[in-house]
Amino acid sequence: MQEKQDDYCFDISKDPYNYVMKVVFGRWKPFILHAIDEDQVTNFARFSKQLPITQKVLAQNLKAMEQDGLITRTVVPETPPRTEYRLTERGKSLIPLLNAVYDWGWHVMKEEGLPIDTLGEMWHGYREKEEEKMLHPYKGT
């Protein structure tokens, strides 16, 4: 069987790098994934305490990550209803990759003498955790 000429052309839309960039490395997705991993299970209101993100953008990101199989969404039948988010096995498999990317960035930023976010350092073990700051990172700001 003879392959078509187009089969040899680079198609960025079909490239795994492009897929990973879309699915994993949107502006907020690494932070959301890490937050869910940190908490094991979390809810919509908790994100607003952890991340400076609008509800609309958060909802869009959560919906996309659910569609991509990275998280599960469970509505808990309470009054009022509560929605919980957990990482799927696919989502959990990304955490070592995200940690490696963070570690690389942290080391390069240190070498360059660039300022590094203290909360991120706490989350990733580069600084001693201060529970009050981690639970309420925007309190007083």
Side-chain angles (χ1 to χ4, degrees), residues 43-53 55 58 137-138:
N43 58 58
F44 197 91
R46 175 87 171 108
F47 287 115
S48 64
K49 293 177 185 174
Q50 292 174 313
L51 302 170
I53 185 173
Q55 289 187 358
L58 176 59
Y138 308 109

Side-chain angles (χ1 to χ4, degrees), residues 32-49:
I32 294 168
L33 290 166
H34 193 275
I36 296 172
D37 182 58
E38 187 76 21
D39 291 347
Q40 301 302 306
V41 62
T42 195
N43 58 58
F44 197 91
R46 175 87 171 108
F47 287 115
S48 64
K49 293 177 185 174

Side-chain angles (χ1 to χ4, degrees), residues 57-95:
V57 171
L58 176 59
Q60 290 169 339
N61 277 267
L62 290 168
K63 183 176 181 178
M65 289 189 296
E66 184 180 10
Q67 290 172 343
D68 289 329
L70 304 180
I71 64 172
T72 60
R73 177 182 179 270
T74 306
V75 177
V76 179
E78 296 177 343
T79 305
R82 181 170 41 98
T83 303
E84 296 180 338
Y85 297 91
R86 288 181 171 79
L87 294 178
T88 62
E89 289 305 313
R90 181 181 291 175
K92 289 175 187 176
S93 74
L94 288 170
I95 299 306

